[in-house]
Amino acid sequence: MRTPRKFFNPQHEGVYLHVCNRTVAMMPGQLPLGDTEKNKFIEIFERYQVKYNIKMISLVIMGNHFHALLYCPAEKFTVDQAFDAYNTFHKKAKAKFKDDFRVQALLEHSNNISEFMRETQREFSWWFNRSRPYKKQGVLWQDRFQCQLIQSDLYLWACLKYIEMN
């Protein structure tokens, strides 16, 4: 079971995070993330931002890994915002009441980078495995995502430059 990391839940002010992950080795010389996969990953990443109140500052997807600069605000969703975010994200299975258990779960997990990355990578892996002609099974990601808390303006600038230069 995953253990939540304390700095992922900002207390007084928002935090910037450098997040990255690498895919497992496929065939020698094969890069699993082509243009179609990159576009789908961006689409999924942008959709889940709404659900988790996470802001993507920058994202680059290479052939076998990605880097993202994310902002996690300190302010969690209010009940009204959680209700709206849930209904925006789940277009077919909308919640009718603000005290719905699904809205309450979203409220509890808003601003949670671990849940955001878990769901984003899970949905992309599910799509990736199903879109292969041979119906690939198993893991796509090498490990749990790597995350670095950005504590200075200089590091923030260096991280942004690094991601944009890639």
Side-chain angles (χ1 to χ4, degrees):
M1 185 162 131
R2 294 186 330 267
T3 56
R5 298 185 182 159
K6 293 184 184 185
F7 65 83
F8 289 165
N9 300 319
Q11 301 299 322
H12 304 293
E13 56 187 43
V15 294
Y16 288 94
L17 302 164
H18 176 206
V19 176
C20 59
N21 205 353
R22 182 174 297 281
T23 61
V24 294
M26 299 289 189
M27 304 286 273
Q30 181 186 13
L31 298 175
L33 303 177
D35 290 339
T36 304
E37 290 81 8
K38 291 175 185 181
N39 290 333
K40 185 65 173 181
F41 189 77
I42 291 169
E43 175 190 320
I44 292 169
F45 217 80
E46 289 174 344
R47 265 193 43 234
Y48 276 94
Q49 288 181 92
V50 173
K51 185 175 179 182
Y52 285 101
N53 195 26
I54 304 287
K55 309 287 186 269
M56 177 177 54
I57 307 300
S58 185
L59 173 68
V60 65
I61 305 164
M62 310 297 274
N64 64 347
H65 69 285
F66 72 89
H67 292 272
L69 179 60
L70 305 175
Y71 177 70
C72 186
E75 307 84 33
K76 287 189 163 253
F77 279 144
T78 64
V79 175
D80 292 333
Q81 289 171 326
F83 181 74
D84 292 341
Y86 182 86
N87 287 335
T88 301
F89 185 79
H90 297 282
K91 294 185 183 342
K92 293 181 182 174
K94 293 189 176 202
K96 295 184 183 359
F97 306 104
K98 292 181 182 176
D99 61 347
D100 188 311
F101 73 95
R102 298 169 297 181
V103 174
Q104 296 303 317
L106 179 63
L107 187 61
E108 180 183 333
H109 292 298
S110 72
N111 300 38
N112 187 330
I113 192 74
S114 293
E115 287 296 315
F116 170 75
M117 290 304 300
R118 180 183 67 82
E119 283 205 42
T120 302
Q121 291 183 150
R122 183 191 68 202
E123 183 170 328
F124 180 75
S125 298
W126 181 85
W127 173 84
F128 184 87
N129 288 342
R130 297 298 176 273
S131 66
R132 305 300 100 179
Y134 47 87
K135 301 292 185 225
K136 179 187 174 313
Q137 292 183 344
V139 298
L140 173 63
W141 304 104
Q142 213 172 48
D143 202 359
R144 179 182 174 161
F145 68 96
Q146 304 298 312
C147 186
Q148 182 66 41
L149 177 66
I150 298 176
Q151 295 179 324
S152 72
D153 292 339
L154 185 60
Y155 182 30
L156 177 64
W157 177 246
C159 182
L160 183 61
K161 273 193 340 188
Y162 175 77
I163 291 172
E164 291 299 321
M165 293 298 283
N166 276 316

